[in-house]
């Protein structure tokens, strides 16, 4: 077997990868700064920058200010060297964003729908992507990575929704195959939406720097995104985190002994509870947010916390996470009062109580997580290929 460690081409590619990653994280930088970072000689760095510029991966980004004598030229990653698209599909519509290699959002598109509306998923998806790419003046085939998030159990291997009561229009639709055939390459990933929101929480939310946490999701459905040792836990079939189906005791026995967690913490169930306690607002989410901000309606938050505790206690005992994040539209709205009641309920039940906090990501968290995952894959391919993959000798 050939030993590749000493291959000039391999070493060149590895050095290019290091420079590209450095420019992405710390750029713009001068040639001298890059020489100090890599340990390469001035001629070697000069030649590398020439190749990377010719390949369209970097560009000259002005001059460094504040120095005497000749100004040192600055180099930056070329943002247009790669584009990605992240898409979040819900009962209420399709939310999509297109970003360049640096992560800057270039275009967004949203196509609303009624929860029970019947439509052609393929046609709706392609129209949203076409709207995105037209805004960005980019051909669909120029997008290097697509990530599509959906609620329910996702068949990651085959790229479709195996089971998703919220999205009947999408069940059996082979999304990855359809997009790949349309754009001419297979860089398409399908992922559970709560998993994507967990990635966004880990990237820009309260779970930054946390290696093991549970994102407990309360929205149209109930679920969890689980991160262990910095990696998503998907399980054997991709169904890890589907907490909605677990059977728990009701908080008030006179309402029946047990029920699926989905029945107690779905959006409609929480809306019914809010109505029972007389919460008022423009809608249920607004009413819960108002009550949380005013620190009112302790009875409502106490009962909601009992339901959350019933779903969380077992998961915490098994997984022993550093943190639990209460997310989804209802988790965000309930905020600190819900957290306080959940902690109070869990303290006598759990040997080692994790940090429990409300989510800090935006409502577009699943879409933004899809963009972040798409960027990770696109950058890995681009940086690993370097200038040679762009035809430079």
């Amino acid at each position: 077997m050939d030993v590749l460690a000493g291959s000039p081409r391999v070493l060149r590619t590895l050095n290019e990868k290091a420079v590209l990653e450095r420019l992405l994280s710390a750029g713009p930088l001068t040639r001298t700064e890059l020489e100090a970072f890599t340990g390469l000689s001035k001629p070697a760095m000069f030649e590398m920058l020439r190749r990377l510029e010719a390949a369209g991966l970097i560009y000259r980004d002005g001059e460094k200010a504040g120095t005497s004598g000749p100004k040192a030229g600055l180099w930056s990653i070329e943002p247009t060297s790669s584009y990605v698209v992240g898409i979040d599909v819900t009962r209420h519509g399709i939310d999509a964003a297109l970003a360049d290699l640096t992560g800057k959002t270039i275009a967004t598109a949203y196509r609303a729908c009624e929860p029970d509306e019947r439509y052609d998923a393929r046609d709706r998806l392609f129209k949203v992507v076409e709207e995105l790419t037209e805004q960005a003046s980019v051909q669909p085939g120029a997008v290097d990575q697509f990530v599509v998030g959906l609620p329910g159990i996702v068949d990651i291997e085959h790229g479709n929704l195996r089971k998703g009561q919220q999205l009947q229009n999408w069940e059996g639709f082979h999304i990855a195959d359809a997009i790949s055939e349309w754009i001419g390459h297979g860089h398409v990933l399908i992922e559970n939406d709560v998993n994507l929101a967990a990635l966004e929480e880990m990237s820009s939310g309260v779970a930054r720097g946390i290696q093991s946490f549970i994102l407990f999701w309360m929205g149209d459905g109930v679920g969890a995104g689980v991160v262990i040792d910095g990696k998503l836990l998907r399980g054997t079939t991709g169904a890890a985190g589907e907490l909605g189906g677990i059977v728990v005791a009701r908080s008030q026995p006179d309402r029946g002994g047990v029920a699926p967690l989905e029945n107690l913490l779905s959006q409609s169930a929480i809306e019914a509870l809010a109505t029972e306690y007389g919460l008022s607002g423009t809608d249920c989410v607004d009413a819960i947010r108002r009550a949380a901000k005013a620190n009112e309606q302790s009875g409502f938050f106490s009962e909601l916390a009992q339901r959350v505790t019933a779903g969380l206690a077992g998961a915490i005992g098994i997984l022993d996470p550093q943190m639990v994040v209460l997310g989804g539209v209802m988790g965000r709205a309930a905020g600190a009062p819900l957290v306080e009641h959940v902690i109070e309920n869990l303290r006598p039940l759990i040997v080692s109580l994790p940090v429990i906090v409300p989510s800090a990501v935006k409502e577009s968290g699943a879409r933004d997580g899809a963009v972040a995952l798409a960027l990770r894959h696109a950058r890995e391919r681009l940086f690993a290929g370097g200038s040679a993959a762009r035809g430079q000798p």
Side-chain angles (χ1 to χ4, degrees), residues 246-261:
I246 66 173
V247 176
V248 299
R250 290 183 178 272
S251 58
Q252 297 185 18
D254 61 329
R255 300 184 180 182
V258 296
L261 190 62

Side-chain angles (χ1 to χ4, degrees), residues 253-266:
D254 61 329
R255 300 184 180 182
V258 296
L261 190 62
E262 178 80 33
N263 290 6
L264 303 180
L265 283 176
S266 67

Side-chain angles (χ1 to χ4, degrees), residues 219-237:
D220 282 337
V222 181
V226 181
V227 173
I228 301 296
D229 294 332
K231 297 180 180 179
L232 279 173
L233 179 67
R234 293 190 173 89
T236 304
T237 65

Side-chain angles (χ1 to χ4, degrees), residues 106-356:
I106 305 300
T108 60
Y110 183 76
R111 183 68 63 92
C113 71
E114 295 300 320
D116 298 322
E117 180 183 342
R118 301 298 296 178
Y119 61 85
D120 184 292
R122 178 191 179 104
D123 179 68
R124 186 70 57 88
L125 175 64
F126 285 8
K127 284 181 177 177
V128 169
V129 174
E130 286 174 343
E131 182 179 343
L132 270 183
T133 52
E134 285 175 5
Q135 282 185 45
S137 299
V138 173
Q139 293 298 316
V143 176
D144 294 315
Q145 182 71 55
F146 283 80
V147 173
V148 182
L150 306 100
I153 301 174
V154 172
D155 184 340
I156 299 172
E157 182 179 354
H158 298 98
N160 62 353
L161 187 65
R162 286 201 293 119
K163 185 177 181 181
Q165 295 178 351
Q166 299 178 41
L167 293 178
Q168 295 182 13
N169 298 317
W170 295 75
E171 285 190 8
F173 170 35
H174 291 266
I175 307 166
D177 289 346
I179 295 178
S180 296
E181 182 180 351
W182 181 39
I183 62 177
H185 64 70
H187 301 152
V188 183
L189 293 175
I190 312 301
E191 183 58 90
N192 173 267
D193 60 343
V194 182
N195 283 347
L196 292 173
L199 291 178
E200 181 66 9
E201 201 73 61
M202 188 165 53
S203 172
S204 62
V206 292
R208 281 177 293 182
I210 302 297
Q211 291 298 297
S212 297
F213 71 95
I214 299 171
L215 171 61
F216 188 80
W217 190 263
M218 293 175 286
D220 282 337
V222 181
V226 181
V227 173
I228 301 296
D229 294 332
K231 297 180 180 179
L232 279 173
L233 179 67
R234 293 190 173 89
T236 304
T237 65
E242 291 294 325
L243 296 181
I246 66 173
V247 176
V248 299
R250 290 183 178 272
S251 58
Q252 297 185 18
D254 61 329
R255 300 184 180 182
V258 296
L261 190 62
E262 178 80 33
N263 290 6
L264 303 180
L265 283 176
S266 67
Q267 188 160 337
S268 59
I270 297 176
E271 287 174 352
L273 183 64
T275 299
E276 181 179 330
Y277 276 89
L279 273 66
S280 61
T282 57
D283 56 29
C284 178
V285 175
D286 179 61
I288 294 173
R289 188 181 293 116
R290 286 171 181 264
K293 187 174 181 180
N295 199 22
E296 298 173 345
Q297 297 290 349
S298 178
F300 166 79
F301 290 108
S302 176
E303 183 164 345
L304 181 60
Q306 289 178 33
R307 301 181 184 190
V308 172
T309 302
L312 268 180
I316 292 173
I318 293 170
L319 297 171
D320 189 24
Q322 296 171 259
M323 176 180 286
V324 171
V325 181
L326 302 183
V329 63
M330 294 301 184
R332 287 194 304 271
L338 177 61
V339 166
E340 292 169 5
H341 283 284
V342 169
I343 291 173
E344 181 181 344
N345 291 346
L346 283 172
R347 185 171 283 115
L349 303 176
I350 302 298
V351 174
S352 179
L353 188 66
V355 175
I356 302 176

Side-chain angles (χ1 to χ4, degrees), residues 36-118:
F37 170 68
T38 61
L40 293 175
S41 66
K42 180 177 179 179
M45 181 56 66
F46 180 87
E47 177 59 22
M48 180 191 293
L49 294 176
R50 183 201 65 77
R51 288 195 310 269
L52 292 174
E53 183 181 27
L57 298 175
I58 65 174
Y59 73 102
R60 298 172 187 267
D61 192 10
E63 297 176 333
K64 188 168 185 177
T67 58
S68 59
K71 301 295 183 183
L74 290 168
W75 295 88
S76 289
I77 284 284
E78 175 52 65
T80 63
S81 58
S82 185
Y83 295 100
V84 303
V85 165
I87 301 172
D88 178 31
V89 182
T90 72
R91 294 174 63 231
H92 306 285
I94 302 175
D95 188 12
L98 183 149
D100 65 24
L101 184 65
T102 66
K104 179 182 178 181
T105 299
I106 305 300
T108 60
Y110 183 76
R111 183 68 63 92
C113 71
E114 295 300 320
D116 298 322
E117 180 183 342
R118 301 298 296 178

